[in-house]
Amino acid sequence: MRGARASRLAVMLVLVASSGDGAAGAPLRTDEVRVEDARLGEDAAAPPPEPSAFVTVIDARAAGAGAASLPEVLARAASVQVRSQGGLGAFTAVTMRGSTAAQVAVFLDGVPLNRDSTGAPDLSQVPLDALERIEVYRGGVPAELGGAALGGAINLVTRRPGTRPELELKAGYGSFGTRQASVRAAGARGPLAGSLYLGYRGSRGDFPFYDDNQTEFTTSDDRTRRRANNGYDELDGAFTARWRRGDAEAIASGQTLYKDQGIPPFRSLLADGVRLTTARQTLDVALARRRLREGALDLGGSAFLLAQWQHFVNPGGVGVGRQDATYTSGGGGLRGRAGLAVGAHQLFVLVPEVRGELFDTESLIPGQPPAPGGRRVAAGVALRDEIALAADRLLLTPALRFDLVRTWSPTVAGAHLESYFSPRLGVRGELQPQVLALKANAGLYYRPPTFFELFGSPGLMLPAAGLVGEHGLSADLGAVLTTARLTAEVAGFVRRVQDLIAYERRLLLLQAANDPRVRVVPGIELAVQARPHRAVALSGHYAYTAADLPGQPRHQALGRVELERPRGRVRPAAFYEADLASSDYLDLGRERLMPGRLLHAAGVRLSLRGVRALGGDARLTLEGRNLADVRTGTVALAPATSGLTQTPVAIADFFGYPLPGRSLFATLEWRY
């Protein structure tokens, strides 16, 4: 019962079966990106979006106004649900179209953030201010981004330096001791350009919440408490160096993270005073040479490295002894890319890659055995063809991908070898060029089991040597309408999953197992953006998932109105946002029902452009989230239990972690 990771993983492993909602933030504009040429594009480190994909490309520079975070911005995209462990800076992951969090592939400048140890990455650890754009794929995930994207993919691209010098300063403060500060500088000389970002974020996280004292059917001991041990301090750094000369380009980028956080008490697994410290470094180098062979050939390649160290301390909880352990992980890989144009209407893209990851643990308590480590190596190759027909009004993008994955542990006998074949097809037809287009995508995807699922963890997870990777079909069909004042997108989708990895309870422990049932998750999504007046922007989306899944509301909707009216150098703006989610269950056993909720957010912003006295542009943003202070809901009991026909519950995210109520933030920015 004294596994090195038992308590921390009790919090994180549930991500593979959970989903949720995000809070509102500052004004955001998202637009569909139309790509007709799928060569290496403007950025050697990031492939262009699939023409047939239902993809939302978010300008992170515009979305980052105010105190917005990456999870908050992602929550505004259609069919995307954000799950948090309760408040600012807490472990956060996303799901799409009824997927689990581990089924969503996340990349940062080509570096895959999904860990083979825990599966789902923590998106709260990526500062939004360091990003240039965010690509959210809800269908038609490019083969270059791998086959392990059963639910979708998120591609994060860091800020690229331009040709002019830039300097940005930002500081903010808000409820529950939330604070942030950052600086970014960029410049160029000749073919060289570079940028550097340094940032700090932190919070006490001591928001009030409704506590039922773990007695759901007894209200006499319920009370309002403040969240304890929920604060964090985080330092972030990012750099980008870019060299361009003619048709050749090289980009090197890296991200640094140091985060020290408390993990709030949770039932009996986590005691008071639990701390988790994380240090991480990524490095990505990409090379590209374009327009070879009279413009018919593009060549590129990239290499990435990732190293992470964590220290976990748990004084001990009921049934769980004292823990003091470190975890180290490292990974790397190589990826090539070649694009060959054949004639004027066909393009072949070939992407080979190899990658590997290792994970080790060490208990700092004498005599306490560590949890098993893991090793994984993989090789894959993807071949994609783009065929333009009917005067380029019909575009076909068939693709084939094959992956070979070998997993083993230095302390557990045996090796796990699996192969995955994931073909896919995308179709885009222009019924009226630049106005109305039909899209369709279908493909096979997979997710291999994590180290923890295969080898177990003392005190939490039993090993499951016979576990196989989950795989399934993802398909969609829809239309996109684009006019001068309106962009509308509607799509129906279906996911068919086999060998879903679920968790079964064995007394006090969990064990991963493949669910023999075939799960079919159909749904529909709608997204609209309109500008009825030059000073008014409207946006919204609605998603319906026709299946009862843990943490997946059947109905989810978001509406937003933005007002901005420039007056010379002064640009006042305001926004209002409403976020609706229907009731859903938080657990596989359908015992913890979360009532539906409607959250409100609003804010104002004042920008001063080109003010000589300030030496640049200044912007002040004031915003509030969950303005109605929704912290509790009511769940009906049928039949009545302990004389109660209904019981109050705290509005919570996955695993029952309560979320903050009303919160206010102020942010001041200056740009040169």
Side-chain angles (χ1 to χ4, degrees), residues 590-611:
R590 295 171 58 84
E591 296 177 354
R592 295 182 60 84
L593 178 65
M594 182 55 53
R597 54 272 191 195
L598 175 62
L599 305 180
H600 304 270
V604 295
R605 184 183 66 200
L606 181 64
S607 301
L608 302 177
R609 305 292 298 273
V611 180

Side-chain angles (χ1 to χ4, degrees), residues 50 142-144 336 338-340 347-352 380-386 397-403 421-425:
E50 290 276 6
E144 295 94 314
L340 176 63
L347 177 68
F348 289 99
V349 178
L350 177 67
V351 180
V381 60
L383 176 63
R384 176 164 58 88
D385 185 12
E386 288 196 11
T397 55
L400 299 175
R401 184 178 176 92
F402 178 77
D403 290 90
F421 182 62
S422 50
R424 60 199 74 174
L425 173 65

Side-chain angles (χ1 to χ4, degrees), residues 224-243:
T224 298
R225 298 179 55 192
R226 282 198 171 270
R227 204 73 173 128
N229 196 37
N230 196 38
Y232 77 100
D233 292 282
E234 178 180 325
L235 295 174
D236 301 288
F239 78 89
T240 300
R242 189 172 197 165
W243 175 86

